Structures are given as C-alpha cells and as structure tokens.
Amino acid sequence: MPTLFRFLFVCGMIAGVIYGVMFALVLFVEPRERDVTVRIPSERLNPAQQTQKQAEQ
C-alpha cells in the first residue's frame, strides 16, 4: 500500500506543479493583439466556376 500512496502522491505533485505553471501564465503573460491576414486562393473560394471554365476550354 505505501507504493500506491507514493505513486498517487507523486502524480498529485506533478499535477499541482503543472496547474501552478498554468495559473502563473494566466496571471503574468499578457497576449499581444495583432492583425492576421490569410490569403486564400480563388480556386478554393469558387471551385465550381473553375471547373466550368476548364470544361469550356
């Protein structure tokens, strides 16, 4: 039984350290806001029109 208790204690300590690190990140790290621009090819926006043009050729 002491081995099981030791195992659970170590798992609890690891979980507590991980939780503490996550909590510290929430408190001390401030995210930066910035604009995000993503280019999308027109083939992905209008696939039906592209297939019609290819069929006409």
Side-chain angles (χ1 to χ4, degrees):
M1 202 64 168
T3 328
L4 176 63
F5 179 72
R6 189 179 310 141
F7 173 72
L8 292 176
F9 181 75
V10 169
C11 287
M13 290 299 290
I14 291 172
V17 168
I18 291 172
Y19 184 78
V21 169
M22 289 181 2
F23 188 73
L25 282 172
V26 167
L27 285 180
F28 298 119
V29 176
E30 195 67 34
R32 290 178 282 167
E33 292 186 15
R34 57 187 172 140
D35 293 333
V36 177
T37 304
V38 178
R39 292 189 174 265
I40 302 174
S42 61
E43 295 87 24
R44 290 185 62 194
L45 292 176
N46 302 317
Q49 293 177 356
Q50 294 295 325
T51 55
Q52 289 175 357
K53 287 181 183 178
Q54 290 173 355
E56 291 173 0
Q57 293 175 358

mmCIF file of all heavy atoms in Angstrom, residues 3-29:
data_model
loop_
_atom_site.group_PDB
_atom_site.id
_atom_site.type_symbol
_atom_site.label_atom_id
_atom_site.label_comp_id
_atom_site.label_asym_id
_atom_site.label_seq_id
_atom_site.Cartn_x
_atom_site.Cartn_y
_atom_site.Cartn_z
ATOM 1 N N THR A 3 3.476 1.873 -1.645
ATOM 2 C CA THR A 3 3.894 2.168 -3.009
ATOM 3 C C THR A 3 2.785 2.885 -3.766
ATOM 4 O O THR A 3 3.046 3.806 -4.533
ATOM 5 C CB THR A 3 4.252 0.869 -3.749
ATOM 6 O OG1 THR A 3 4.774 -0.084 -2.844
ATOM 7 C CG2 THR A 3 5.254 1.120 -4.808
ATOM 8 N N LEU A 4 1.537 2.440 -3.559
ATOM 9 C CA LEU A 4 0.411 3.089 -4.209
ATOM 10 C C LEU A 4 0.270 4.526 -3.714
ATOM 11 O O LEU A 4 0.053 5.452 -4.509
ATOM 12 C CB LEU A 4 -0.879 2.314 -3.937
ATOM 13 C CG LEU A 4 -2.167 2.926 -4.489
ATOM 14 C CD1 LEU A 4 -2.097 2.992 -6.007
ATOM 15 C CD2 LEU A 4 -3.365 2.116 -4.045
ATOM 16 N N PHE A 5 0.423 4.720 -2.413
ATOM 17 C CA PHE A 5 0.327 6.064 -1.851
ATOM 18 C C PHE A 5 1.442 6.954 -2.401
ATOM 19 O O PHE A 5 1.204 8.105 -2.760
ATOM 20 C CB PHE A 5 0.409 6.007 -0.315
ATOM 21 C CG PHE A 5 0.333 7.360 0.320
ATOM 22 C CD1 PHE A 5 -0.859 8.064 0.347
ATOM 23 C CD2 PHE A 5 1.465 7.941 0.870
ATOM 24 C CE1 PHE A 5 -0.934 9.311 0.922
ATOM 25 C CE2 PHE A 5 1.403 9.190 1.443
ATOM 26 C CZ PHE A 5 0.206 9.889 1.468
ATOM 27 N N ARG A 6 2.638 6.439 -2.507
ATOM 28 C CA ARG A 6 3.765 7.201 -3.037
ATOM 29 C C ARG A 6 3.510 7.570 -4.503
ATOM 30 O O ARG A 6 3.758 8.692 -4.934
ATOM 31 C CB ARG A 6 5.046 6.385 -2.909
ATOM 32 C CG ARG A 6 6.289 7.187 -3.230
ATOM 33 C CD ARG A 6 7.560 6.363 -3.067
ATOM 34 N NE ARG A 6 7.601 5.669 -1.788
ATOM 35 C CZ ARG A 6 8.062 4.432 -1.621
ATOM 36 N NH1 ARG A 6 8.534 3.754 -2.638
ATOM 37 N NH2 ARG A 6 8.061 3.884 -0.435
ATOM 38 N N PHE A 7 2.994 6.609 -5.279
ATOM 39 C CA PHE A 7 2.677 6.861 -6.686
ATOM 40 C C PHE A 7 1.615 7.956 -6.818
ATOM 41 O O PHE A 7 1.763 8.880 -7.617
ATOM 42 C CB PHE A 7 2.200 5.570 -7.354
ATOM 43 C CG PHE A 7 1.706 5.765 -8.755
ATOM 44 C CD1 PHE A 7 2.588 6.029 -9.790
ATOM 45 C CD2 PHE A 7 0.348 5.680 -9.040
ATOM 46 C CE1 PHE A 7 2.122 6.218 -11.080
ATOM 47 C CE2 PHE A 7 -0.119 5.861 -10.318
ATOM 48 C CZ PHE A 7 0.775 6.132 -11.350
ATOM 49 N N LEU A 8 0.542 7.856 -6.048
ATOM 50 C CA LEU A 8 -0.515 8.865 -6.108
ATOM 51 C C LEU A 8 -0.012 10.224 -5.645
ATOM 52 O O LEU A 8 -0.395 11.266 -6.194
ATOM 53 C CB LEU A 8 -1.714 8.421 -5.264
ATOM 54 C CG LEU A 8 -2.473 7.205 -5.805
ATOM 55 C CD1 LEU A 8 -3.572 6.808 -4.826
ATOM 56 C CD2 LEU A 8 -3.036 7.495 -7.176
ATOM 57 N N PHE A 9 0.864 10.226 -4.644
ATOM 58 C CA PHE A 9 1.434 11.471 -4.153
ATOM 59 C C PHE A 9 2.296 12.137 -5.234
ATOM 60 O O PHE A 9 2.185 13.339 -5.472
ATOM 61 C CB PHE A 9 2.265 11.209 -2.893
ATOM 62 C CG PHE A 9 2.876 12.448 -2.320
ATOM 63 C CD1 PHE A 9 2.090 13.356 -1.614
ATOM 64 C CD2 PHE A 9 4.215 12.718 -2.488
ATOM 65 C CE1 PHE A 9 2.648 14.504 -1.081
ATOM 66 C CE2 PHE A 9 4.783 13.863 -1.962
ATOM 67 C CZ PHE A 9 4.001 14.761 -1.259
ATOM 68 N N VAL A 10 3.118 11.365 -5.909
ATOM 69 C CA VAL A 10 3.963 11.908 -6.976
ATOM 70 C C VAL A 10 3.099 12.417 -8.132
ATOM 71 O O VAL A 10 3.348 13.495 -8.672
ATOM 72 C CB VAL A 10 4.981 10.845 -7.453
ATOM 73 C CG1 VAL A 10 5.687 11.292 -8.722
ATOM 74 C CG2 VAL A 10 5.991 10.564 -6.361
ATOM 75 N N CYS A 11 2.077 11.672 -8.512
ATOM 76 C CA CYS A 11 1.170 12.127 -9.585
ATOM 77 C C CYS A 11 0.464 13.414 -9.180
ATOM 78 O O CYS A 11 0.300 14.325 -9.992
ATOM 79 C CB CYS A 11 0.141 11.039 -9.901
ATOM 80 S SG CYS A 11 0.837 9.646 -10.785
ATOM 81 N N GLY A 12 0.039 13.514 -7.931
ATOM 82 C CA GLY A 12 -0.613 14.727 -7.440
ATOM 83 C C GLY A 12 0.338 15.917 -7.432
ATOM 84 O O GLY A 12 -0.053 17.038 -7.782
ATOM 85 N N MET A 13 1.583 15.681 -7.056
ATOM 86 C CA MET A 13 2.569 16.768 -7.060
ATOM 87 C C MET A 13 2.849 17.254 -8.479
ATOM 88 O O MET A 13 2.937 18.455 -8.714
ATOM 89 C CB MET A 13 3.873 16.287 -6.398
ATOM 90 C CG MET A 13 3.762 16.082 -4.907
ATOM 91 S SD MET A 13 3.331 17.588 -4.021
ATOM 92 C CE MET A 13 4.828 18.515 -4.219
ATOM 93 N N ILE A 14 2.974 16.324 -9.419
ATOM 94 C CA ILE A 14 3.204 16.713 -10.816
ATOM 95 C C ILE A 14 2.016 17.503 -11.341
ATOM 96 O O ILE A 14 2.174 18.535 -11.994
ATOM 97 C CB ILE A 14 3.485 15.465 -11.677
ATOM 98 C CG1 ILE A 14 4.844 14.869 -11.288
ATOM 99 C CG2 ILE A 14 3.455 15.793 -13.154
ATOM 100 C CD1 ILE A 14 5.129 13.527 -11.929
ATOM 101 N N ALA A 15 0.808 17.045 -11.054
ATOM 102 C CA ALA A 15 -0.392 17.757 -11.494
ATOM 103 C C ALA A 15 -0.455 19.141 -10.850
ATOM 104 O O ALA A 15 -0.835 20.119 -11.495
ATOM 105 C CB ALA A 15 -1.637 16.952 -11.162
ATOM 106 N N GLY A 16 -0.075 19.241 -9.576
ATOM 107 C CA GLY A 16 -0.075 20.535 -8.891
ATOM 108 C C GLY A 16 0.929 21.503 -9.493
ATOM 109 O O GLY A 16 0.644 22.697 -9.641
ATOM 110 N N VAL A 17 2.107 21.009 -9.856
ATOM 111 C CA VAL A 17 3.117 21.871 -10.486
ATOM 112 C C VAL A 17 2.625 22.350 -11.844
ATOM 113 O O VAL A 17 2.748 23.539 -12.191
ATOM 114 C CB VAL A 17 4.460 21.120 -10.609
ATOM 115 C CG1 VAL A 17 5.418 21.863 -11.514
ATOM 116 C CG2 VAL A 17 5.070 20.917 -9.236
ATOM 117 N N ILE A 18 2.033 21.455 -12.622
ATOM 118 C CA ILE A 18 1.503 21.845 -13.940
ATOM 119 C C ILE A 18 0.400 22.877 -13.770
ATOM 120 O O ILE A 18 0.350 23.879 -14.495
ATOM 121 C CB ILE A 18 1.012 20.601 -14.702
ATOM 122 C CG1 ILE A 18 2.205 19.731 -15.084
ATOM 123 C CG2 ILE A 18 0.223 20.995 -15.942
ATOM 124 C CD1 ILE A 18 1.835 18.392 -15.678
ATOM 125 N N TYR A 19 -0.500 22.663 -12.822
ATOM 126 C CA TYR A 19 -1.573 23.620 -12.571
ATOM 127 C C TYR A 19 -1.007 24.972 -12.130
ATOM 128 O O TYR A 19 -1.471 26.024 -12.561
ATOM 129 C CB TYR A 19 -2.521 23.067 -11.503
ATOM 130 C CG TYR A 19 -3.713 23.943 -11.257
ATOM 131 C CD1 TYR A 19 -4.795 23.947 -12.126
ATOM 132 C CD2 TYR A 19 -3.758 24.790 -10.140
ATOM 133 C CE1 TYR A 19 -5.891 24.760 -11.897
ATOM 134 C CE2 TYR A 19 -4.847 25.602 -9.906
ATOM 135 C CZ TYR A 19 -5.901 25.583 -10.788
ATOM 136 O OH TYR A 19 -6.980 26.392 -10.554
ATOM 137 N N GLY A 20 0.021 24.943 -11.277
ATOM 138 C CA GLY A 20 0.638 26.183 -10.818
ATOM 139 C C GLY A 20 1.297 26.954 -11.960
ATOM 140 O O GLY A 20 1.195 28.179 -12.025
ATOM 141 N N VAL A 21 1.961 26.243 -12.859
ATOM 142 C CA VAL A 21 2.588 26.902 -14.019
ATOM 143 C C VAL A 21 1.522 27.515 -14.913
ATOM 144 O O VAL A 21 1.670 28.650 -15.395
ATOM 145 C CB VAL A 21 3.466 25.899 -14.793
ATOM 146 C CG1 VAL A 21 3.900 26.459 -16.133
ATOM 147 C CG2 VAL A 21 4.685 25.520 -13.966
ATOM 148 N N MET A 22 0.436 26.803 -15.151
ATOM 149 C CA MET A 22 -0.642 27.355 -15.988
ATOM 150 C C MET A 22 -1.260 28.588 -15.325
ATOM 151 O O MET A 22 -1.562 29.580 -15.999
ATOM 152 C CB MET A 22 -1.711 26.288 -16.251
ATOM 153 C CG MET A 22 -1.231 25.214 -17.176
ATOM 154 S SD MET A 22 -2.378 23.879 -17.623
ATOM 155 C CE MET A 22 -3.879 24.237 -16.849
ATOM 156 N N PHE A 23 -1.449 28.550 -14.027
ATOM 157 C CA PHE A 23 -2.013 29.684 -13.307
ATOM 158 C C PHE A 23 -1.077 30.895 -13.382
ATOM 159 O O PHE A 23 -1.513 32.029 -13.587
ATOM 160 C CB PHE A 23 -2.273 29.290 -11.849
ATOM 161 C CG PHE A 23 -3.016 30.326 -11.068
ATOM 162 C CD1 PHE A 23 -4.371 30.534 -11.289
ATOM 163 C CD2 PHE A 23 -2.366 31.097 -10.131
ATOM 164 C CE1 PHE A 23 -5.062 31.487 -10.567
ATOM 165 C CE2 PHE A 23 -3.050 32.064 -9.411
ATOM 166 C CZ PHE A 23 -4.400 32.269 -9.630
ATOM 167 N N ALA A 24 0.225 30.643 -13.249
ATOM 168 C CA ALA A 24 1.205 31.728 -13.357
ATOM 169 C C ALA A 24 1.202 32.330 -14.756
ATOM 170 O O ALA A 24 1.320 33.548 -14.920
ATOM 171 C CB ALA A 24 2.596 31.213 -12.998
ATOM 172 N N LEU A 25 1.061 31.500 -15.768
ATOM 173 C CA LEU A 25 0.989 32.024 -17.143
ATOM 174 C C LEU A 25 -0.229 32.919 -17.328
ATOM 175 O O LEU A 25 -0.159 33.950 -17.990
ATOM 176 C CB LEU A 25 0.949 30.868 -18.151
ATOM 177 C CG LEU A 25 2.272 30.177 -18.439
ATOM 178 C CD1 LEU A 25 2.042 28.948 -19.302
ATOM 179 C CD2 LEU A 25 3.223 31.127 -19.118
ATOM 180 N N VAL A 26 -1.343 32.527 -16.748
ATOM 181 C CA VAL A 26 -2.558 33.338 -16.863
ATOM 182 C C VAL A 26 -2.361 34.693 -16.180
ATOM 183 O O VAL A 26 -2.794 35.729 -16.691
ATOM 184 C CB VAL A 26 -3.758 32.582 -16.248
ATOM 185 C CG1 VAL A 26 -4.941 33.507 -16.059
ATOM 186 C CG2 VAL A 26 -4.130 31.404 -17.105
ATOM 187 N N LEU A 27 -1.690 34.703 -15.056
ATOM 188 C CA LEU A 27 -1.516 35.952 -14.321
ATOM 189 C C LEU A 27 -0.470 36.881 -14.927
ATOM 190 O O LEU A 27 -0.664 38.092 -14.971
ATOM 191 C CB LEU A 27 -1.129 35.657 -12.866
ATOM 192 C CG LEU A 27 -2.228 35.152 -11.955
ATOM 193 C CD1 LEU A 27 -1.678 34.910 -10.565
ATOM 194 C CD2 LEU A 27 -3.377 36.141 -11.888
ATOM 195 N N PHE A 28 0.645 36.339 -15.366
ATOM 196 C CA PHE A 28 1.788 37.182 -15.708
ATOM 197 C C PHE A 28 2.021 37.400 -17.202
ATOM 198 O O PHE A 28 2.781 38.282 -17.569
ATOM 199 C CB PHE A 28 3.063 36.599 -15.091
ATOM 200 C CG PHE A 28 2.999 36.550 -13.586
ATOM 201 C CD1 PHE A 28 3.084 35.346 -12.922
ATOM 202 C CD2 PHE A 28 2.835 37.713 -12.853
ATOM 203 C CE1 PHE A 28 3.018 35.294 -11.544
ATOM 204 C CE2 PHE A 28 2.773 37.675 -11.470
ATOM 205 C CZ PHE A 28 2.861 36.464 -10.821
ATOM 206 N N VAL A 29 1.411 36.621 -18.074
ATOM 207 C CA VAL A 29 1.654 36.768 -19.507
ATOM 208 C C VAL A 29 0.466 37.486 -20.132
ATOM 209 O O VAL A 29 -0.675 37.047 -20.008
ATOM 210 C CB VAL A 29 1.882 35.395 -20.185
ATOM 211 C CG1 VAL A 29 2.039 35.558 -21.679
ATOM 212 C CG2 VAL A 29 3.095 34.719 -19.587
#
